[in-house]
Amino acid sequence: MSQLQVNHSSHITLRPYTPEDCEEISLLFYETVHTVNAKDYSRQQLDVWATGSIDLAAWNESFLAHTSFVAVAGETIAGFGDIDSSGYLDRLYVHKDYQGIGISTALCEKLEASVESATVTTHASITARPFFEHRGYVVKKEQQVERQGILLTNYVMDKQLEPKIVFKEE
């Protein structure tokens, strides 16, 4: 486990995802989309993006199939992220009350370091695009994703990772 210093009195701990996290993560996802992303998307877009009805079994299966981490502050999940073996960074969300203190950065670094791929790809929201650009991701294309007849703009973004040095014992 790794710890991230938030301020002098609190720590955020990063740990692997467990199935017991899924329900709390689904609530964090809904609340984050409907608050943090509200500055860049309409109410109608937010409602089709995060409907409040998630198939928890499917999400759990997806998190278990990917490399998935949660950021925990005390007893509260403050953020989560997951990446698949091909280097596709699927989800990265931070609780609305824990924005701007380095949780996304810590999760992203841990996720990027976990893959063998030379490239990480994500589909970033309008809101998340500046964060990813700051991390060295480049927009490959803007796209419109349709959900229930409503279009949402996001960006396919790639980042070339530094080559990993592997030492082999003889």
Side-chain angles (χ1 to χ4, degrees):
M1 280 200 257
S2 55
Q3 288 200 343
L4 170 67
Q5 179 91 20
V6 177
N7 60 39
H8 296 296
S9 62
S10 61
H11 287 285
I12 304 293
T13 302
L14 300 185
R15 64 164 172 76
Y17 165 85
T18 65
E20 294 76 29
D21 299 327
C22 199
E23 188 171 351
E24 187 175 347
I25 282 174
S26 73
L27 295 171
L28 184 155
F29 166 73
Y30 179 85
E31 290 178 10
T32 299
V33 167
H34 282 269
T35 56
V36 176
N37 298 97
K39 66 181 180 181
D40 297 308
Y41 294 90
S42 71
R43 180 75 186 171
Q44 196 175 30
Q45 289 171 315
L46 298 172
D47 287 343
V48 297
W49 178 359
T51 63
S53 176
I54 288 177
D55 181 341
L56 292 179
W59 258 40
N60 180 56
E61 188 176 315
S62 174
F63 284 122
L64 292 173
H66 297 170
T67 299
S68 306
F69 294 103
V70 295
V72 182
E75 299 296 314
T76 302
I77 294 178
F80 68 93
D82 66 306
I83 194 166
D84 71 15
S85 60
S86 75
Y88 176 66
L89 198 160
D90 191 359
R91 291 161 285 212
L92 181 65
Y93 290 89
V94 173
H95 190 286
K96 63 184 177 62
D97 296 336
Y98 292 89
Q99 295 284 313
I101 59 172
I103 294 173
S104 290
T105 297
L107 283 166
C108 208
E109 285 174 0
K110 193 125 173 115
L111 293 167
E112 290 170 358
S114 74
V115 294
E116 293 182 20
S117 172
T119 305
V120 174
T121 301
T122 194
H123 293 182
S125 67
I126 295 168
T127 313
R129 177 181 170 176
F131 166 79
F132 284 108
E133 286 177 328
H134 183 72
R135 291 196 52 77
Y137 286 73
V138 176
V139 173
K140 295 300 179 185
K141 71 175 182 175
E142 179 178 322
Q143 63 184 6
Q144 301 295 314
V145 178
E146 184 181 338
R147 299 250 171 99
Q148 301 175 26
I150 306 296
L151 295 177
L152 295 106
T153 300
N154 73 15
Y155 304 91
V156 177
M157 300 182 77
D158 285 349
K159 178 181 181 180
Q160 298 302 311
L161 299 178
E162 296 293 323
K164 293 179 178 66
I165 299 172
V166 178
F167 294 99
K168 294 185 180 180
E169 291 187 33
E170 297 196 36

